C-alpha cells in the first residue's frame, strides 16, 4: 500500500514540477510567435503601401 502512495506522490510532484516549468517557459514560447506575427503584419502593411 505504501508503494501506491509513494507512486501517487511521485506522479503529483512530477506534474507539479512540469506545471511550474511550463509556467516559467510559457512567456518565452509566446515571444517568438508574437514577433513573427507582428513582423508579418508590418510586412503586409508596407508591401501594401508600396503597391
Amino acid at each position: 500500500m505504501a508503494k501506491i502512495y509513494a507512486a501517487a506522490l511521485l506522479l503529483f510532484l512530477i506534474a507539479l514540477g512540469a506545471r511550474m516549468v511550463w509556467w516559467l517557459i510559457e512567456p518565452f514560447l509566446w515571444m517568438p510567435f508574437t514577433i513573427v506575427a507582428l513582423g508579418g503584419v508590418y510586412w503586409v502593411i508596407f508591401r501594401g503601401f508600396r503597391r
Side-chain angles (χ1 to χ4, degrees), residues 21-35:
V21 168
W22 172 249
W23 182 67
L24 288 169
I25 289 173
E26 193 184 7
F28 298 104
L29 285 178
W30 283 111
M31 231 178 271
F33 287 118
T34 306
I35 290 165

